[in-house]
């Protein structure tokens, strides 16, 4: 295989499937997922808990349990800053380690579990710098101070000496972001980075990420289950359900006129900032995400779908159709659904 | 950060439905080879000491001066005979009854004491907890062999007194483990929920907290058996423990000292029994520790 | 529904169900060897909740919402002030004296993982309130009532034998709700009951809670940092900042006409699921100051964009401004952005 073509994208994931070996047999957690992210672009990965968002991102980072406990199929082509293109699923572990935390960085939902509780934050950031850069400790600490200041932590010099438990949740997440930025990543994967935070702090973090992206041109894959957050930050959205992409496209069209009944449901479930006379029941999606071990036949969303057609939806597995303007949808009846939705 | 810890931090820890914590723990225990080996050894040992002396055609106290120092395997004496011509195997098994009984009983007593102290200290915390744990530390600082011997020198040795003496020097470890576990769980919301219902301190300690400390308690108890057997051997070896003609592994070793050159098997076999029993219990303890690891279930 | 049949309906009385008067809850640490530090987690809080009313309590993490919720349930010993529940002063009752009242006040927790005992089956968890409150209760009655409660929250009787880890977050939250309702209480503190859940599941749980509220005619203190949910659920809302209530009003007034700069900032931070409405938000600078050393005067002044020198002088009192609307800000000249 020669050097693969990935046009301008930083990351081009092709037909990614992830299966875990369990005592009851293989479990397909992610199935045939393809997407791209360009420099300076933010792709939001949305879906309920258990839909495969984290597994997708961990597979790209090769952080899933090693083979044979996990089986990875497909390609994840990554363009380094020097222009070389590599398949992340095929490079040796050593090369992968050199990329992680360097050209590809990741931040997680719970900053406390990802920071070392007994090491000063300055040392942790400095270590992240020294792992990938030929610099001394002094220089690395200076860079750590600069990074802390950059992510909006006041009095950065003094904070270098703080332990994670001295910091609030929002500050810990800023420290995580500072660590992620330590080596100017070309790609940042953020797995629910604001889910555990207050709305006020969430707004600060979203703003910070957008600023940093404007400045460095990094690509961001932003995982969340909150469509409000998607609207704030994303350029494109990819909705996942039961391990598959069910809708993807530009954020405007997808959120204004979602084609997939699941996306519609997710969107309606976000309570709006309004007051009503008396309690008006919130719109929810009935039921829960099916377990990957017990997927319903046909369309996986069929048991929860208000537009499901017996005989069709529970019998035929829908393909990912191209709708319009690059919007893709996995629904057998999307045109009919769109017509029904358009009616007042 | 290793990839395993990253994955553990991110991936939901969902398990198969329909399994109780107990059956999952058993599944993990079964995969621990040394622990399964240890369990096998202990089972065999327990059966042997109970039924062996009934089956074997020798009386442990029968003196047969014509067959003194018969080396193994001789004359139907599989493990040989001692300085009075008594069958060593039967004596080992009879001694095993004593040593294992003391081991188990000391474990029960020290686990009871240790658990009560640990739960009380962990639940109440504050002054009560601090005082209790200081006492634990103080007792722990005292060299336990010394304490053991000091006590044994003053008290008339019998199975019961030896058991109590050993228990008195062995409950602190359990108390510490239990206190740490209870303290960690004390401020979980489910405890608050019980208190919100007007549950008494006793209810919270026994019904809500104790079952969550069962794993560490069982592990500590298993290791305590091993320690108690060893402690009994010490005391008896030094002559303060079980007295002749009743045999225990410790006093058999004591007897064997004089004949170390002429009849080494007299020392080797009791020594082996002690080692086997102690390591087996330690293996089981390790296996249980993995199987009952609170982190695997508490999520 | 069977839950209704559990207890006779409470004798209707006059006045609010809960009255909180200048409540203080401080926590001290250190002492002995290290310097004594006092966190004033709740400071001088006064409010009422009418019968059948839902009062929302919003504010950032660490502002004292949970502490206040626990204090009114008398989980803690109050530092100062009074809590009057249904006409009875409960501020100084002992654990034992509180016990019969426990059946009437319950709590739902935020973390669906920490709030259920992992070693108990769902049946034991939901049955515990019955057993604790009526020690003589028969096994069959517990089973029947646990079954009823589970069905009410949308689970099946057969779930009683399972363990919490076998359930998803949303289902666990339902189990927690069943435990809170099995005794048919009058008053409930819901401490961020849906914050840990996915949006789609959030809606299910909120709807369930409201259905049960209607059936039992409950009074609820609804703690949340999600203002959108609060707007849908609550009759009145109190906004907390660093241990104090800084604004309180009925929901409509608060959303349409907020009068405290902090309330405005909270509203502004809520993400809106409409990409064409990406707004210029009012970003609060920095974090909540440490409650160990709150700023002098108005505690919000370090982050307030309308702060003036006078704000540092004295703690602004929570003043009535008409129609039950109260705010703790010295400036009356502000035109603040409404939520909607
Ligand atoms: N037992 C305690 N000992 C010492 N300080 C405490 C204790 N409980 C709470 N606090 C402090 O009181 C303040 C208020 O805490 P509280 O948990 O009530 O906040 P909250 O508004 O519920 O926040 P969140 O949204 O994170 O739940 C915090 O500064 C907290 O650290
Ligand atoms: N190591 C694993 N072994 C087996 N199943 C797993 C493993 N990791 C994740 N899964 C399953 O894969 C599915 C997708 O999980 P995940 O990607 O974490 O969802 P989310 O969209 O919430 O991030 C879930 O059903 C999860 O239980
Ligand atoms: S294929 Fe059928 S069940 Fe699936 S989303 Fe479309 S209409 Fe609903
Ligand atoms: S009193 Fe001053 S600082 Fe406080 S909220 Fe009002 S304007 Fe802002
Ligand atoms: Mg996830
Ligand atoms: Mg709280």
């Amino acid at each position: 295989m020669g050097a693969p073509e990935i046009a301008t994208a930083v990351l081009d994931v092709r037909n990614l499937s992830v299966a875990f070996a369990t005592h009851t047999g293989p479990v397909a957690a992610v199935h045939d997922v393809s997407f791209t992210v360009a420099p300076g672009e933010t792709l939001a990965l949305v879906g309920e808990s258990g839909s495969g968002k984290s597994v997708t991102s961990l597979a790209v980072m090769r952080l899933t349990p090693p083979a044979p406990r996990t089986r990875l199929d497909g390609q994840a082509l990554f363009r380094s800053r020097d222009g070389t293109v590599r398949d992340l699923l095929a490079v040796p572990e050593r090369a992968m380690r050199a990329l992680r935390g360097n050209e590809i960085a990741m931040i997680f939902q719970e900053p406390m579990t990802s920071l070392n509780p007994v090491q000063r934050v300055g040392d942790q950031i400095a270590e992240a710098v020294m792992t990938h850069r030929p610099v001394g400790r002094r220089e690395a600490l200076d860079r750590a101070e600069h990074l802390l200041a950059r992510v909006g932590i006041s009095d950065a010099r003094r904070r270098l000496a703080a332990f994670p438990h001295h910091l609030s949740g929002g500050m810990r997440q800023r420290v995580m972001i500072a660590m992620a930025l330590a080596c100017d990543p070309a790609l940042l994967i953020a797995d629910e980075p604001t889910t555990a935070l207050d709305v006020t702090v969430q707004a600060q973090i979203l703003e910070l990420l957008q600023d940093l992206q404007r400045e460095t041109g990094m690509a961001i894959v932003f995982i969340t289950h909150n469509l409000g957050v998607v609207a704030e930050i994303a350029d494109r959205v990819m909705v996942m359900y039961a391990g598959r992409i069910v809708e993807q496209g530009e954020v405007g069209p997808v959120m204004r006129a979602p084609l997939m009944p699941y996306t519609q449901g997710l969107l309606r479930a976000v309570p709006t900032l309004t007051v009503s006379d008396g309690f008006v029941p919130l719109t929810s999606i009935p039921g829960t995400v099916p377990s990957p071990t017990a997927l319903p036949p046909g369309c996986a969303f069929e048991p929860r779908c208000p537009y499901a057609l017996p005989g069709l939806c529970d019998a035929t597995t829908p393909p990912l159709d191209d709708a319009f303007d690059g919007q893709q949808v996995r629904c057998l009846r999307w045109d009919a659904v769109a017509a029904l939705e358009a009616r007042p | 950060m290793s990839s395993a810890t990253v994955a553990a931090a991110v991936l939901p820890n969902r398990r198969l439905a329909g399994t109780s914590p107990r059956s999952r723990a058993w599944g993990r225990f079964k995969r621990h080879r040394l622990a399964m080996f240890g369990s096998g050894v202990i089972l065999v040992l327990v059966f042997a000491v109970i039924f062996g002396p009934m089956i074997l055609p020798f009386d442990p106290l029968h003196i047969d001066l014509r067959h003194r120092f018969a080396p193994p395997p001789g004359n139907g004496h599989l493990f040989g005979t001692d300085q009075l011509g008594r069958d060593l195997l039967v004596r080992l098994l009879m001694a095993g009854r004593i040593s294992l009984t003391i081991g188990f009983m000391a474990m029960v007593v020290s686990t009871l004491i240790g658990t009560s102290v640990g739960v009380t200290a962990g639940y109440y915390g504050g002054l009560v907890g601090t005082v209790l744990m200081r006492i634990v530390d103080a007792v722990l600082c005292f060299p336990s062999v010394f304490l053991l011997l000091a006590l044994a020198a003053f008290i008339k040795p019998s199975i019961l007194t030896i058991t109590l003496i050993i228990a008195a020097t062995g409950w602190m470890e359990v108390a510490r483990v239990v206190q740490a576990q209870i303290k960690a769980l004390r401020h979980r919301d489910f405890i608050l929920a019980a208190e919100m219902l007007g549950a008494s301190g006793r209810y919270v300690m026994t019904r809500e907290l104790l079952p969550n400390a069962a794993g560490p308690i069982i592990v500590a108890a298993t290791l305590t058996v091993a320690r108690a057997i060893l402690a009994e051997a010490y005391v008896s070896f030094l002559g303060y423990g079980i007295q002749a003609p009743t045999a225990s592994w410790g006093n058999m070793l004591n007897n064997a000292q004089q004949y170390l050159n002429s009849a080494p098997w007299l020392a080797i076999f009791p020594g082996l029994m002690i080692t086997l029993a102690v390591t087996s219990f330690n293996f089981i303890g390790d296996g249980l520790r993995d199987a009952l690891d609170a982190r695997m279930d508490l999520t | 529904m069977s839950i209704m049949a559990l207890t006779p309906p409470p004798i209707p009385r006059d006045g609010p169900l809960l009255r909180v008067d200048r409540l203080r809850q401080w926590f001290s640490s250190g002492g002995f060897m290290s310097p004594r530090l006092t966190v004033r987690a709740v400071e001088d809080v006064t409010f009422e909740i009418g019968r059948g009313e839902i009062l929302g309590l919003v504010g950032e993490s660490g502002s004292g919402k949970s502490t206040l919720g626990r204090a009114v349930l008398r989980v803690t010993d109050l530092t100062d002030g009074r809590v009057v529940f249904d006409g009875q002063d409960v501020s100084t009752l002992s654990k034992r004296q509180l016990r019969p009242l426990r059946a009437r006040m319950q709590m739902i927790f935020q973390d669906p993982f920490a709030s259920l005992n992992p070693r108990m089956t769902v049946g034991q968890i939901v049955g515990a309130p019955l057993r604790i409150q009526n020690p003589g209760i028969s096994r069959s009655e517990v089973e029947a009532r646990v079954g009823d409660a589970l069905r009410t929250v949308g689970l099946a009787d057969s779930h009683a034998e399972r363990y919490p880890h076998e359930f998803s977050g949303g289902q666990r939250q339902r189990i927690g709700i069943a435990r809170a309702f099995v005794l048919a209480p009058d008053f409930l503190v819901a401490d961020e009951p849906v914050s840990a859940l996915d949006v789609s599941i959030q809606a299910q749980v909120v709807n369930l809670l409201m259905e049960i509220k209607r059936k039992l005619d409950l009074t609820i203190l609804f703690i949340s940092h999600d203002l959108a949910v609060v707007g849908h659920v609550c009759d009145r809302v109190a906004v907390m900042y660093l241990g104090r209530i800084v604004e309180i009003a009925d929901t409509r007034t608060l959303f349409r006409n907020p009068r405290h700069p902090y309330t405005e900032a909270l509203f502004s931070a809520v993400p809106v699921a409409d990409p064409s409405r990406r707004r210029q938000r009012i970003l609060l600078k920095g974090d909540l100051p440490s409650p160990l050393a709150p700023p002098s005067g108005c505690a919000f002044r370090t982050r307030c964009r309308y702060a003036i020198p006078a704000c540092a002088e004295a703690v602004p009192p929570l003043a009535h401004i008409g129609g039950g609307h109260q705010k703790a800000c010295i400036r009356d000249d502000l035109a603040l952005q409404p939520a909607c």
Side-chain angles (χ1 to χ4, degrees):
Chain A
M1 188 179 60
E5 244 338 285
I6 62 169
T8 58
V10 178
L11 180 70
D12 181 350
V13 173
R14 298 181 181 172
N15 310 100
L16 172 71
S17 293
V18 185
F20 295 108
T22 66
H23 5 272
T24 48
V27 171
V30 168
H31 191 85
D32 197 15
V33 163
S34 303
F35 62 89
T36 62
V37 211
E41 185 183 48
T42 303
L43 170 72
L45 215 59
V46 211
E48 283 165 281
S49 137
S51 53
K53 309 181 298 288
S54 299
V55 171
T56 302
S57 60
L58 289 172
V60 168
M61 291 290 269
R62 283 259 299 278
L63 287 174
T64 46
R69 279 165 57 206
T70 315
R71 193 194 146 123
L72 299 177
D73 288 303
Q75 288 179 304
L77 305 175
F78 175 73
R79 177 194 295 278
S80 291
R81 279 186 225 100
D82 60 11
T84 54
V85 173
R86 273 176 290 183
D87 180 2
L88 299 178
L89 303 189
V91 299
E93 181 56 33
R94 263 176 58 97
M96 196 63 219
R97 265 203 299 272
L99 283 172
R100 268 187 226 128
N102 184 11
E103 292 193 68
I104 312 176
M106 193 158 181
I107 50 182
F108 300 109
Q109 171 171 351
E110 197 9 91
M112 200 58 202
T113 54
S114 340
L115 287 171
N116 183 347
V118 296
Q119 203 183 5
R120 297 177 191 277
V121 298
D123 293 337
Q124 295 190 51
I125 303 175
E127 209 162 88
V129 176
M130 289 190 294
T131 311
H132 299 289
R133 295 283 151 90
V135 296
R137 211 183 119 74
R138 196 56 266 148
E139 211 177 319
L141 274 174
D142 285 344
R143 170 119 179 106
E145 184 187 338
H146 166 79
L147 287 165
L148 282 186
R150 181 62 203 90
V151 295
I153 291 184
S154 54
D155 204 2
R157 170 114 247 141
R158 208 165 49 83
R159 299 284 190 189
L160 287 176
F163 287 98
H165 62 264
H166 291 150
L167 307 175
S168 68
M171 282 209 259
R172 288 198 284 258
Q173 199 57 285
R174 284 171 204 265
V175 170
M176 281 303 293
I177 294 174
M179 272 169 84
L181 295 176
C183 298
D184 285 319
L187 173 66
L188 175 70
I189 299 180
D191 191 349
E192 312 227 15
T194 60
T195 303
L197 304 176
D198 278 326
V199 276
T200 48
V201 182
Q202 167 171 287
Q204 294 169 354
I205 298 284
L206 294 181
E207 179 106 345
L208 171 65
L209 285 175
Q210 281 173 316
D211 279 355
L212 292 169
Q213 184 177 43
R214 265 195 297 276
E215 209 174 280
T216 65
M218 66 183 169
I220 300 182
V221 174
F222 193 100
I223 300 178
T224 176
H225 65 254
N226 187 336
L227 281 166
V229 173
V230 174
E232 298 283 337
I233 192 166
D235 300 307
R236 282 190 306 118
V237 204
M238 178 169 122
V239 184
M240 286 190 75
Y241 188 74
R244 288 161 205 261
I245 298 178
V246 292
E247 179 154 14
Q248 87 175 325
E250 300 285 322
V251 70
V254 170
M255 299 204 61
R256 241 187 319 279
L259 297 174
M260 170 72 186
Y262 179 60
T263 319
Q264 295 163 359
L266 277 184
L267 208 51
R268 290 198 180 111
V270 181
T272 50
L273 200 53
T274 52
V275 272
S276 49
D277 287 311
F279 175 69
V280 181
L282 303 178
T283 322
S284 69
I285 309 176
T288 47
V289 181
S291 145
T293 48
L295 285 186
C299 172
F301 188 56
E302 187 267 339
R304 306 172 73 187
C305 179
Y307 293 112
L309 204 60
L312 176 73
C313 299
D314 51 5
T316 317
T317 305
L320 191 61
D321 271 346
D322 287 313
F324 17 76
D325 301 335
Q327 195 168 345
Q328 292 182 307
V329 55
R330 189 186 296 280
C331 170
L332 296 164
R333 310 185 59 211
W334 65 265
D335 33 9
V337 169
L340 287 167
E341 283 279 315
R343 280 205 313 231
Chain B
M1 205 166 18
S2 78
S3 59
T5 56
V6 173
V10 189
L11 289 175
N13 198 3
R14 257 165 254 160
R15 256 163 263 98
L16 297 175
T19 55
S20 71
R22 205 169 301 164
S23 66
R24 272 178 288 119
W26 172 232
R28 286 193 293 267
F29 186 75
K30 274 193 299 194
R31 265 176 271 138
H32 201 290
R33 289 225 195 99
L34 286 177
M36 288 303 281
F37 167 77
S39 315
V41 170
I42 296 302
L43 265 181
V44 170
L45 219 53
V46 168
F47 265 92
V49 304
I50 294 175
F51 300 109
M54 301 180 190
I55 297 165
L56 289 171
F58 304 104
D59 181 331
L61 299 180
H62 177 77
I63 299 177
D64 179 359
L65 292 177
R66 278 169 306 162
H67 294 115
R68 299 170 66 206
F69 295 120
N75 271 349
H77 296 290
L78 200 56
F79 283 21
T81 61
D82 66 3
Q83 74 279 13
L84 297 175
R86 295 174 295 195
D87 180 67
L88 194 66
L89 179 56
V90 171
R91 279 187 65 75
L92 272 177
L93 294 179
M94 290 308 286
R97 285 187 183 180
I98 304 291
S99 295
L100 289 178
T101 307
I102 291 178
F104 279 114
M105 283 183 5
M107 175 270 280
V108 171
V109 176
S110 41
T111 305
L112 280 178
I113 303 174
T115 304
S116 317
V117 172
V119 171
T120 313
Y123 176 75
Y124 289 106
L127 189 64
V128 178
T130 312
V131 169
L132 282 176
M133 292 322 285
R134 285 293 154 274
I135 294 175
V136 170
D137 289 343
V139 183
L140 214 50
C141 282
F142 213 76
S144 72
V145 183
F146 191 70
L147 191 66
L148 211 60
L149 294 178
L151 286 171
F154 288 111
I155 295 168
K156 192 174 167 307
S158 72
I159 296 186
L160 188 66
T161 53
I162 296 293
T163 301
L164 291 179
I165 290 170
I166 292 175
T169 63
W171 57 275
M172 297 82 69
E173 207 51 46
V174 183
R176 273 195 162 178
V177 168
V178 173
Q179 188 261 354
Q181 177 81 356
I182 298 293
K183 204 173 145 201
L185 292 166
R186 175 72 184 86
H187 294 287
R188 289 275 186 111
D189 282 348
F190 69 85
I191 300 300
L192 181 57
E195 284 176 346
M196 269 305 306
L197 296 167
S200 61
R202 214 186 64 197
Y203 177 95
V204 172
M205 284 189 269
T206 56
R207 300 293 191 78
E208 302 271 351
L209 286 170
L210 208 51
N212 282 290
I217 293 176
I218 293 171
V219 174
T222 315
L223 301 176
T224 305
V225 182
R227 236 197 335 246
I229 292 174
L230 214 50
E232 182 276 328
Y234 266 142
V235 187
S236 299
F237 177 74
L238 295 174
Y240 295 102
I242 302 298
Q243 303 295 318
T246 311
S248 82
W249 289 335
N251 70 18
M252 287 176 76
L253 264 183
N254 182 7
N255 277 334
Q257 279 187 95
Q258 314 166 35
Y259 315 109
L260 221 47
N261 288 323
S262 52
W265 64 92
L266 291 186
I268 290 172
F269 286 117
L272 267 181
M273 295 302 265
I274 294 169
T275 314
L276 202 60
V278 170
T279 40
S280 295
F281 277 113
N282 281 329
F283 286 154
I284 298 175
D286 281 348
L288 287 172
R289 198 196 312 271
D290 291 354
L292 301 173
D293 188 344
R295 272 168 307 173
M296 324 268 297
D297 270 353
L298 280 183
T299 41
Chain C
M1 188 63 241
S2 44
I3 277 194
M4 296 296 289
L6 294 181
T7 44
I11 310 138
R13 291 210 221 155
D14 305 328
L17 184 68
L18 185 80
R19 239 180 53 224
V20 174
D21 194 18
R22 276 171 307 179
L23 182 70
R24 290 206 160 117
Q25 185 73 63
W26 297 356
F27 296 106
S28 294
S29 60
F32 198 48
M33 298 293 277
S34 45
R36 196 165 191 80
L37 299 172
T38 303
V39 178
R40 303 187 170 197
V42 170
E43 180 72 351
D44 208 8
V45 164
T46 301
F47 66 92
E48 290 180 353
I49 311 184
R51 287 164 203 277
E53 188 181 45
I54 305 185
L55 175 69
L57 189 58
V58 299
E60 282 166 285
S61 184
S63 56
K65 310 182 294 294
S66 302
T67 307
L68 178 55
R70 289 166 191 218
V72 302
L73 291 176
R74 280 298 322 280
V75 176
T76 45
D77 287 330
L78 310 180
T79 308
D80 194 17
R82 292 207 309 158
V83 174
V84 181
F85 179 75
D86 202 7
Q88 185 184 3
D89 188 341
V90 298
S91 336
T92 53
L93 295 190
S94 70
K95 256 189 167 179
R96 191 172 294 268
Q97 291 169 315
L98 280 166
R99 200 168 162 162
L101 279 172
R102 291 285 179 221
R104 299 186 56 198
M105 32 164 96
Q106 279 301 308
M107 183 157 182
I108 303 177
F109 301 88
Q110 167 171 6
D111 184 346
F113 292 83
S115 58
L116 305 179
N117 191 332
R119 299 282 161 179
M120 286 177 145
T121 63
V122 170
Q124 289 169 332
I125 290 169
V126 178
L130 298 167
R131 291 212 175 83
I132 293 171
Q133 283 288 331
N134 331 293
I137 196 167
S138 75
R139 201 195 166 95
S140 56
E141 183 170 2
V142 172
E143 270 171 26
R145 286 169 65 172
V146 166
D148 283 344
L150 289 181
R151 267 175 273 126
T152 307
V153 299
L155 298 171
D157 290 33
S158 60
H159 287 136
E161 279 122 55
R162 305 244 205 119
Y163 286 87
H165 74 264
E166 297 171 41
F167 295 88
S168 67
Q171 286 174 315
R172 287 185 201 217
Q173 213 54 327
R174 288 169 190 266
I175 297 168
I177 293 175
R179 168 176 60 192
F181 288 120
V182 71
L183 289 169
D186 307 325
F187 177 59
L188 179 76
V189 171
D191 190 355
E192 314 228 12
V194 295
S195 302
L197 306 177
D198 272 0
V199 267
S200 56
I201 309 300
Q202 232 173 48
Q204 292 176 6
V205 173
V206 167
N207 292 344
L208 169 69
L209 207 57
M210 293 304 284
E211 197 185 308
I212 296 177
K213 168 202 173 322
R214 218 184 40 234
K215 273 187 196 147
L216 294 178
D217 194 23
L218 270 172
T219 305
I220 303 181
L221 179 62
F222 191 95
I223 301 175
S224 178
H225 61 246
D226 187 338
L227 285 143
V229 172
V230 164
H232 282 265
V233 166
C234 301
D235 303 311
R236 283 194 306 140
V237 182
V239 182
M240 261 186 114
Y241 190 79
L242 271 188
R244 294 174 190 265
I245 291 184
V246 295
E247 182 163 14
I248 182 166
D250 66 83
T251 311
R252 181 173 299 271
T253 309
L254 191 85
F255 276 53
R256 295 273 160 81
N257 186 19
R259 299 293 300 279
H260 195 284
Y262 181 58
T263 313
E264 178 193 47
L266 279 182
F267 284 137
S268 169
V270 177
V272 180
D274 181 352
S276 59
R277 276 187 52 196
R278 279 188 199 179
R279 313 153 291 168
Q280 201 46 50
R281 36 183 82 265
I282 304 163
L283 269 188
L284 279 183
K285 294 165 282 179
D287 284 327
L288 201 64
S290 160
L292 286 170
S296 64
C298 174
F300 185 55
R301 73 186 163 82
T302 51
R303 300 164 82 195
C304 178
R305 56 188 195 138
Y306 307 108
I308 51 175
C311 299
E313 277 161 22
V315 177
L318 186 61
H320 286 274
I321 49 174
H325 195 161
Q326 292 170 269
K327 65 147 189 180
C329 170
I330 56 168
R331 293 192 59 175
D332 294 320
D333 55 332
L334 303 174
L336 303 178
Q337 272 179 30
C340 53

